[in-house]
Amino acid sequence: MRLSNYFLPVLKENPKEAEIVSHRMMLRAGMIRQQSTGIYSWLPLGKKVLDKVCAIIREEQNRAGALEILMPTIQSADLWHESGRYDGYGKEMLRIQDRQERYMLYGPTNEEMVTDIFRSYVRSYKDLPLTLYHIQWKFRDEVRPRFGVLRSREFLMKDAYSFDLDCKGARAAYNRMFVAYLRTFSRVGLRAIPMHAETEPIGGDLSHEFIILADTGESAVFCDRQYLDMTVPDNDIDFSNDAVLATIVRQWTEPYAATEAMHDTDGVWAALSASRKIAARGIEVGHIFHFGTKYSEPMGARVAGSNGQMWPVSMGSYGIGPSRLVAAVVEASHDEKGIIWPEAITPFHIGIINIKPGDILCDRFSETCYHQLQNAGFECLFDDSQERTGSKFAIMDLIGLPLQIIIGPRGTVSGEVEVKDRKSGKRKTVSLETAINYITGKQ
Ligand code: 5CA
């Protein structure tokens, strides 16, 4: 992509409404634009990152055996009357009336709707286990929307829902999602710690929040330092082996980890040595729940067991906020100059800066570099603009692509370009050929 053909509305000044780094940098890098309180548009650079995050989430959901569907954003209030949640949900729910004066709502979550889908088709335990998920916008009229897309009113959610004949099956489904979450967050470049958590307003008796440690996090969290060294299961993990998954979940839940609401200052925490205690702030990027028959019972989602008797299915729900996750990555990975994208979700792999467009050698080198890297499958953002050199460097650092190739008149006369690693800031002067071979050889 040539910058001259792109839409990258970077801001020179720090937007004053942005209190935390991720909000500030996402606005400055032209990733998002606020349209109304807690409601954002995603501009090209932001949309690319969001799509990459969703692609990783999808891969891991599919690997864990979940099936993708797409449910609407607008729901009928009738379903929520059936589950008994319509009144209790309070002002967070955006309630709408259509032209027929039917009561509708903009979905804050989809337990009711997915339970309705399930009960319409599934009758037998032979069709279980079943886990359905979708990635869809949600609306919650939060009391305090803030920090940009970290806590917005409209936000993207991946929500999965599991259906099993009994509690044992539901626990296995919970474990599959638990392990899928460990892998998902690790793949986007984050260390997420599963912590015992409250179950409201979804309900149930077992729940974990996946938390990223960050000073700007909204909640106080407490955990064992051991979590920072634990190894995430690799991609040949067998999701059909319940015993293996249960062992992994046990390992990842044994060391102490709790959100403020569940924190017990006595017992295990008190016994931990001071050097192992982490009392910090955290961002919740995922939340999983087992709630048994809370929805299947009142909504009549029953299946026949092996003896023919009908049972309400045992359910769980599993959420990740992809839009929040993008901001969480920025919180975790930046420096004073801007964002530093992890390889897996960077909007472009390489930034190519032509310092002097119009100069014959600079143009030739830049074009060769751009074409060869694009052809080798790398996504490149090629700054072919007439901006000042300082400003080109600042923008490239701000948008945080992992690798930069800087092509200027001084180097090109001796056939050389500069390769800069965004994270370490280290620069190397090498021939154009060496630079291209080095990068393409990394594939
Ligand atoms: N139905 C369940 C699980 S599918 C549920 O709604 N869980 S939740 O309320 O915990 O939300 C799931 C995830 O959505 C959270 O972990 C968080 O990553 C994201 N999320 C929740 N509220 C917001 C918000 N206001 N802004 C951005 N992301 C949010």
Side-chain angles (χ1 to χ4, degrees), residues 130-168:
L130 181 65
T131 299
L132 301 173
Y133 77 96
H134 73 161
I135 300 180
Q136 179 61 290
W137 294 93
K138 304 287 187 288
F139 192 91
R140 293 182 185 171
D141 205 350
E142 300 265 353
V143 189
R144 282 228 302 155
R146 57 188 185 147
F147 302 155
V149 292
L150 208 52
R151 178 166 296 283
S152 47
R153 294 198 297 167
E154 191 183 42
F155 59 94
L156 197 54
M157 195 197 284
K158 183 290 298 176
D159 32 332
Y161 303 89
S162 66
F163 303 89
D164 284 271
L165 182 62
D166 53 24
C167 221
K168 184 163 165 263

Side-chain angles (χ1 to χ4, degrees), residues 108-109 111 140 142 149-152 155 157 159-161 202 284-287 289 317-321 323-324:
T109 176
E111 279 80 5
R140 293 182 185 171
E142 300 265 353
V149 292
L150 208 52
R151 178 166 296 283
S152 47
F155 59 94
M157 195 197 284
D159 32 332
Y161 303 89
I202 308 297
E284 177 208 312
V285 284
H287 199 163
F289 304 82
S317 75
Y318 315 89
I320 295 182
S323 47
R324 172 179 289 186

Side-chain angles (χ1 to χ4, degrees), residues 68-105:
E68 187 168 8
I69 58 174
L70 183 57
M71 294 179 270
T73 54
I74 306 292
Q75 307 185 19
S76 159
D78 295 345
L79 283 175
W80 288 66
H81 283 303
E82 281 192 59
S83 73
R85 270 210 296 187
Y86 187 69
D87 296 325
Y89 218 93
K91 289 202 161 171
E92 257 188 34
M93 184 188 278
L94 182 63
R95 296 157 205 259
I96 311 163
Q97 255 183 309
D98 69 10
R99 69 201 300 163
Q100 255 64 268
E101 297 186 354
R102 278 184 297 240
Y103 290 96
M104 313 294 286
L105 56 99

